[in-house]
Each structure stands twice: as C-alpha cells, then as structure tokens.
Amino acid sequence: MAFASREFIAVPDDHKGQIVYKWPDVSIRRYTKAIVNADEVALFVKTGQVVQTLPPGRHQIDADEIPGLGVLIDVATGGNAYRAELYFAGTREYTGFAFGGRIDDVQDPQTGLIVTLRVFGDYALRVVDPVLLITNLLGTVDVSDNDNIATWVSDQLLKVMRTNVTTQIVRNGWPILGLSVYTPDIEAAVILKANEQLAAYGVSITRMGNFDINLTPEDAEQLKRLAKDTSYSRLAGSFNQYAAGEMALGAGAGMAQGGGAVQGAFLGMGMGMGGVAAGQPTAPTPPPAAGFAGGGQGGYAGPPPGGAAPAAAAPATDSVPCAACGVGNPAGAKFCMGCGQGLAAPAASHCTNCGTELAPGAKFCGGCGTAAA
C-alpha cells in the first residue's frame, strides 16, 4: 500500500503543449495521486461518457474521496483498481494553427468578372467546455493529436467563410481589388459565426492573425489589367485613343531596339494603325462611376440620374446633315463625324451652255467660260 501511495499521474513535460493528453494506461491503481495543473481539467471516461471530472489540484484516486469513481471499480482486482480512460484537457489559449484554402467563385461587383477567392491565416483557440469536447468530438477526431483538432477546426472555418464572406461581398458591393480594406469586418464576422458552429464541441476561436483574403495570380492580374485599361482610357478620352497611344509606344520601343528595316516596319505599322484609328469614330469617354478601392474610377455606370441622354448636336446651316444621326458635316465630307456612316455624294451639276460637268463650288464653266447657274 505504501508503494501504491507514491504513484503519480500527470501530463509529462514533453506533452504540455497538447490540447488533450490521454493517459496511456486504462487500469488506474487505487490511491494513485493525480496532479492536475492550474490550466487543466482531468476527465474519467467510460464507454464514451464522462463519468467524473477533476479540477486543478492534487487528488487521490479513491472512490471514498471521489464518489463518482465507484462505477469504475475493476472487480477483477478486488477493488484495488479503476478501469477507465483518463484525459487531461488544457484550458489555456493555444496559438499558431494555420488554415487556408479556396473559398468560392464570386462575381466582382465592380467589373462583373468571375474570380476565385482564397483565404490564408492562423488562429488561436481555447477549450471552454472539456466535457463537450470529449463527448462530442472524441468519436470523430483523435483528440489526443493537436493536428487532428486543428484540421477539423480549420474545416469549420472554411465552411463558415464560404457562406459568410461571399454574402458580405455581394450584399455590400465590396470591390475585390482592395478587399483588404474590409478585412477587420470580415475577420470579426468569421470569428462570431465560427464560434457559433464550434460551441457544441466545447472549443472557441479567441483571435486570428495574418488574415488575408486574396485571388489566384491569374485573376489578380486580370483585374489589375482591366483597372489600368479603364483608367488610361479615361485619361486618353476613349479606348481607341488609348489603344493608338499604346501602339505608338510599342513602335517607339521597337525602333529603339531594332535596325533600319525593323524601324521601317514598325513605322509603317504605326502609321497604318494611326490611319485606321483616325478613320474610325471616336468612342465617348465613359462617365464617372464608383472606383476601385484605393484607385481610380471604375467602369461605365449607366445613364446619368434622371435618365436624360445628351442631345445630338444640331446640324450647321452650311453643313450636310447625316441621314442616320442628323449630325451636321462639312461640305465635301464622305463620312459622318457623329456615327461614321457614309454620306451621300451631292448630285453633279453641268454647264447650261456646253454641258460640261462643273467642279464643286465653280462659278464659271471650265469649257466655255459661261457663268454657272
């Protein structure tokens, strides 16, 4: 009996970092001393049910002192041992658990593009109810392994984010570029919703760190390129003018790097594109719209308030009106400056004396000198 009274049960020093530590022996001798540290709770479990808990302190394993142990007496030992699983659950905060993965495909409210959101970060958790942890999680996860618990909690986090984060972006119209501005709001909402999910398992997330919602490299590059093209088109006046400027810059770079033949090729291509751009109608500058977070203005936002559209310019008295849009064009113009449609050629006039065709605007006949009618 003296030898038995000197036996101790406690969490070994090399297992202090475990959330849950399981004592390896299921047969516990009577009068053994159990040492429960200040940040721990000991639990006796039989057939998946917690039959007794021990608070912090030093306890003697004896049914006379701990009445709940009476159901654990091992009859085969003559009452000198108790048969049960003994767990030590830590109640302090455990930090440094990483999580991350794909959230969902969402539509960027700013551009309308479909992009893939991802999330990465780490979190800290605490056991708030050891009985619930052992009772509800023991059959699903090996709770004696921190990695198994962390993996399960991370899965619950991603499940919450797939619904909560997507809902907030769509409901609030948050642009994907610059989403980090709203990280504190998203983080707080995720902790709240995740703890509602984890409450039945006796654990809670206390805080998060390095919380980052981002895009795949391909989607990030696509959105940045679109934002750049939109801003530069606004500065240039239209996308056609911006494209012509980009072509001119490319031709200049090619001439700076190539030889004479290459320079000639680039120059010819640049002049050709310039002529094409000059012959095409100029697209109107997009009106102001909600911008990218931390950047310039965004894309087209629809008609101005009230739905009124700008009136078409009235044709000048000395101009040729376009049959398609009504915009006035200078005499002799072959294409409309407003819509690019071809203009009907004016009817030719002839000399009333000799029948020679008169040039446009001529006051005298070039064949006989007769004054034009």
Side-chain angles (χ1 to χ4, degrees):
M1 186 66 65
F3 175 78
S5 66
R6 291 196 298 270
E7 291 185 355
F8 292 92
I9 293 177
V11 177
D13 290 340
D14 58 346
H15 290 79
K16 294 290 187 183
Q18 288 185 213
I19 299 173
V20 177
Y21 173 74
K22 181 182 179 182
W23 185 252
D25 193 357
V26 296
S27 182
I28 303 171
R29 298 178 65 178
R30 190 179 183 187
Y31 302 119
T32 300
K33 299 291 192 302
I35 300 175
V36 184
N37 292 324
D39 58 352
E40 297 171 349
V41 173
L43 305 96
F44 290 90
V45 180
K46 186 173 184 179
T47 63
Q49 298 297 319
V50 176
V51 298
Q52 184 64 44
T53 62
L54 299 179
R58 179 177 295 192
H59 307 272
Q60 180 171 275
I61 308 302
D62 181 12
D64 293 336
E65 294 189 14
I66 309 174
L69 298 182
V71 297
L72 303 177
I73 293 176
D74 190 349
V75 179
T77 64
N80 291 324
Y82 301 92
R83 190 164 187 82
E85 295 177 324
L86 178 60
Y87 293 89
F88 292 84
T91 56
R92 64 180 175 86
E93 183 183 64
Y94 294 85
T95 62
F97 298 110
F99 74 97
R102 177 182 175 277
I103 299 178
D104 199 2
D105 293 331
V106 299
Q107 185 176 33
D108 177 25
Q110 187 66 42
T111 63
L113 296 180
I114 304 296
V115 294
T116 301
L117 283 183
R118 308 178 303 175
V119 63
F120 298 96
D122 55 66
Y123 63 90
L125 64 82
R126 184 193 304 274
V127 177
V128 294
D129 192 327
V131 175
L132 287 178
L133 174 65
I134 297 298
T135 303
N136 296 336
L137 203 57
L138 185 60
T140 304
V141 176
D142 178 9
V143 294
S144 62
D145 189 332
N146 281 8
D147 290 339
N148 291 337
I149 296 178
T151 299
W152 183 83
V153 173
S154 297
D155 289 342
Q156 307 311 307
L157 276 176
L158 288 177
K159 184 189 301 182
V160 169
M161 290 182 189
R162 286 189 180 102
T163 56
N164 186 264
V165 174
T166 305
T167 300
Q168 288 198 63
I169 292 174
V170 175
R171 181 179 59 205
N172 299 322
W174 291 343
I176 302 301
L177 281 184
L179 195 59
S180 59
V181 175
Y182 309 100
T183 295
D185 297 332
I186 298 175
E187 182 177 332
V190 167
I191 291 177
L192 177 64
K193 293 296 183 181
N195 284 339
E196 292 178 1
Q197 182 83 9
L198 298 173
Y201 299 92
V203 296
S204 70
I205 294 175
T206 55
R207 53 197 170 94
M208 288 186 172
N210 302 317
F211 189 87
D212 180 34
I213 297 178
N214 55 44
L215 302 169
T216 62
E218 297 79 9
D219 286 344
E221 178 61 27
Q222 186 180 26
L223 277 182
K224 290 177 182 178
R225 185 168 59 250
L226 180 59
K228 173 191 138 182
D229 290 346
T230 301
S231 298
Y232 282 11
S233 296
R234 191 177 303 282
L235 291 173
S238 71
F239 183 78
N240 287 343
Q241 293 175 343
Y242 163 53
E246 286 285 286
M247 182 63 68
L249 291 176
M255 288 189 290
Q257 297 177 6
V262 176
Q263 292 178 13
F266 271 111
L267 182 59
M269 183 174 64
M271 293 178 64
M273 290 300 297
V276 172
Q280 292 180 345
T282 302
T285 302
F292 296 98
Q297 292 177 328
Y300 181 67
T317 56
D318 59 345
S319 62
V320 179
C322 174
C325 66
V327 172
N329 297 273
K334 296 181 179 180
F335 296 93
C336 176
M337 297 186 300
C339 65
Q341 295 292 327
L343 299 175
S349 58
H350 297 79
C351 176
T352 57
N353 183 43
C354 65
T356 301
E357 182 177 346
L358 300 177
K363 296 182 179 180
F364 296 91
C365 176
C368 64
T370 303

